[in-house]
Each structure stands twice: as structure tokens, then as C-alpha cells.
Amino acid sequence: MKFGIIVFPGSNCDIDCYHVLKDILKKDVEYVWHDTDNLDKYDCIVIPGGFSYGDYLRCGAVAQFSKAMEQVKVHASEGKLVIGICNGFQILTEAGLLPGALVRNKNLKFICDTVSLQVENTSTPFTNLCKEGQIIDIPIAHGEGNYVVDEDILENMKKNNQIIFTYKDNPNGSLLNIAGVCNENKNVIGMMPHPERASEALLGNSDGLVIFESIINYFEGGAKNE
Amino acid sequence: MKAKVYVTLKNSIADPQGNAIRGALNKKGFSNVEDVRIGKLIEIELGDITKEVAEKQLNEMCEKLLANTVIEKYEFEII
């Protein structure tokens, strides 16, 4: 399988994602510049954290109009995987690929911390190696991570098990402690915490690896596990 | 033709910035202030077009980019 990491002007977690996928997990991965008009060769697209186009109007607002995002919509509609981390999550909500929106943290502060997440749904391509109710500690670094969504949409999301990660101790005011959600088809996920910053024992925390390993397992599982 | 576009959070969305400013105003002696909502004012120079075209364009601009209608509402005036 092959990963593609979209790089916007202002992305800054692209290199971390690349390092984890290439050097730690030994997978085939390429950077993809934001003006690409073809994502056919990738199985999973990573939309990394950072400040795409400076986040000038709203986080992710301008990035949704890039050529790459048009292709990400096509990619997602074909059932292939997309994972948006932090700014990537904000871009996916702005682009309408994920429900809801991310507004200013309740305490107005940019929060840089490691938080405990509960895995709420282990039957997605992104969490299939997690144990039911597993707690993972993952860093966050955001000023606009306060998840909001209309009530009727939230009801549908609950019914369809689209809430994937929740904070044990809500840092930013998110509705229902939501830290990560997926779309109805479960092939597009967005999360504010940064698993790529917690994927190497050498750096003190490898709780995030399970997410990338789940994606790989989803594509290659049978062969790899034997 | 010029336009002023006002983008504000929907009433159902909490406004932490507005709450902070309300607190500050209360402390400054404006104890009657009950609520503050913060939004954006966007001024746009539209060039030489008719009012009808301007309205159509502004609606499209707001829906597509200037406001995120999941959380924000917008209004505009053409000057």
C-alpha cells in the first residue's frame, strides 16, 4: 500500500508523518504538493497539521479550495482512506468531508499538552488494532479544537458510531468531549490530537502508532499478521 | 460598488471571545452589559457591477468561503 501526505503552504507536521510512515513503519510514502490533480496511486491520504495558507480567514477555510482537496474528495468518494490530523481535521470539516466544525478553545488559549483519549469505535480502518475502550495518550497543540455540530447531525453520528475518539478530561470545550470523528462511510477520519508525535519509543511515547498500524492492517492485515 | 459583509457565530454556538470581552466590560464598570458576540467585518471592493449581480456574488462568496455556515451566519450591505 502507498501513503500520500498532502503538503500545503504552511503545513508543518508533514515531515513528522513522513518519518513515522517511512522510517518507523517502513511503508511506501510520498509528499504530495497541494496543486496535484491526481491521487490515483495512493491508498491512504494524510492531511497533516500546521497552518495551511496561514489559516487567515478560518482554520482550513482556504485549503478546501486547493486542487489537492478536489482530488481528496474524489479519493474519498471511491472509498479510499483519508486521515486529517489537527489542521487536517479542520480542513476536512471545512471541505464538508466530515460533519461539524472546530471553533476557538473554550479558555481561548492555545493548548500544548498530552491528553488521554478513549477509543470509542474499534471497527474502523483507523482503529481496528485498538482494544475496546482502550485509552491512549496523545499530544494536542491547537487553539481551535473545540468541536461543535448541530444536534440532529450529532444524533445521526451517534447512531452510526462516527465518534471515534473522546477526551478523558476535556481540554478545549468540545461537545461530548469529542476529539475525533469519521464520516458515514468510515473511510474519512479527523482528529485534533497528533498520533505522529507519539509514535516512537525513543521520544517517550508510542501510543499513536496503533492508528497508523491499524491503517496498514486494514490494507495488508492478513498477510502481515501471518 | 462596495460591500460590507458581516460574519458572526450562530446564536447556538458559544462565543468564548465574546464572553471574555463581556467580563472585561463588566469589570470596567459597564455592569449592564449582558452579552457580547464577536464577529468579522469584511469590506469588499466589487468594481463596476450592478446591484443585482453584486448581491448574487456576495451570497455565493459567503456560502463558499467567507462564512462557515455550520457555525456562522452572514449578512451584507451594498454601499
Side-chain angles (χ1 to χ4, degrees):
Chain A
M1 68 160 298
K2 197 175 177 74
F3 286 93
I5 300 170
I6 309 276
V7 183
F8 297 102
S11 293
N12 63 12
C13 299
D14 43 341
I15 298 173
D16 304 57
C17 291
Y18 187 94
H19 169 68
V20 170
L21 294 167
K22 183 85 175 177
D23 302 327
I24 298 174
L25 293 166
K26 313 288 181 199
K27 297 321 285 184
D28 194 4
V29 53
E30 280 176 9
Y31 292 116
V32 186
W33 191 233
H34 63 99
D35 64 353
T36 185
D37 53 15
N38 193 329
L39 296 174
D40 285 353
K41 61 179 166 176
Y42 305 105
D43 302 296
C44 179
I45 291 295
V46 181
I47 307 182
F51 300 86
S52 54
Y53 302 96
D55 279 348
Y56 293 130
L57 180 68
R58 288 182 311 275
C59 301
V62 177
Q64 65 170 309
F65 297 111
S66 63
K67 271 193 191 172
M69 283 311 295
E70 280 173 32
Q71 293 308 310
V72 169
K73 285 180 185 169
V74 174
H75 177 92
S77 70
E78 290 168 350
K80 297 194 215 169
L81 301 191
V82 181
I83 176 168
I85 300 166
C86 199
N87 192 226
F89 185 10
Q90 294 164 337
I91 295 169
L92 289 171
T93 59
E94 283 282 345
L97 285 169
L98 289 175
L102 294 138
V103 298
R104 284 288 287 273
N105 291 345
K106 200 176 172 188
N107 66 2
L108 294 171
K109 290 179 180 154
F110 187 99
I111 307 170
C112 201
D113 202 356
T114 294
V115 298
S116 293
L117 299 183
Q118 176 146 347
V119 183
E120 300 286 347
N121 181 349
T122 57
S123 54
T124 76
F126 311 94
T127 52
N128 58 66
L129 292 178
C130 296
K131 295 182 191 78
E132 205 68 49
Q134 186 176 344
I135 308 285
I136 50 177
D137 289 342
I138 308 283
I140 54 168
H142 59 245
E144 284 97 353
N146 183 349
Y147 185 80
V148 295
V149 66
D150 286 344
E151 246 172 61
D152 45 338
I153 298 174
L154 182 66
E155 284 311 308
N156 273 333
M157 289 169 67
K158 280 193 214 161
K159 271 185 216 151
N160 200 25
N161 293 321
Q162 286 171 251
I163 299 167
I164 308 300
F165 300 110
T166 54
Y167 300 108
K168 289 299 284 176
D169 189 8
N170 193 335
N172 54 23
S174 287
L175 194 67
L176 292 182
N177 307 325
I178 289 172
V181 303
C182 71
N183 63 344
E184 276 186 33
N185 291 333
K186 313 268 184 352
N187 65 318
V188 179
I189 193 176
M191 61 190 298
M192 287 313 294
H194 287 273
E196 80 282 10
R197 295 189 189 178
S199 287
E200 202 165 13
L202 183 66
L203 300 179
N205 183 355
S206 53
D207 279 9
L209 263 188
V210 69
I211 293 166
F212 300 109
E213 285 171 339
S214 291
I215 297 172
I216 295 165
N217 183 53
Y218 174 76
F219 285 105
E220 309 180 341
K224 187 178 155 239
N225 285 346
E226 297 307 312
Chain B
M1 177 103 36
K2 267 188 182 176
K4 286 185 173 182
V5 180
Y6 304 92
V7 180
T8 48
L9 283 172
K10 284 182 181 172
N11 293 337
S12 57
I13 305 288
D15 181 1
Q17 246 183 319
N19 288 343
I21 300 305
R22 186 204 54 211
L25 287 172
N26 290 157
K27 274 185 202 153
K28 284 276 175 201
F30 302 100
S31 55
N32 57 308
V33 173
E34 290 172 359
D35 193 23
V36 176
R37 307 283 293 174
I38 294 189
K40 295 184 188 107
L41 162 64
I42 304 165
E43 293 181 328
I44 303 179
E45 180 56 70
L46 288 161
D48 190 16
I49 55 172
T50 65
K51 198 176 172 203
E52 287 70 36
V53 174
E55 275 179 11
K56 192 167 171 282
Q57 282 192 354
L58 286 163
N59 270 315
E60 210 179 319
M61 288 179 202
C62 288
E63 290 288 334
K64 282 191 173 165
L65 176 64
L66 300 180
N68 176 348
T69 53
V70 175
I71 47 170
E72 293 170 324
K73 53 189 166 59
Y74 61 86
E75 48 192 282
F76 54 78
E77 52 181 315
I78 295 167
I79 312 160

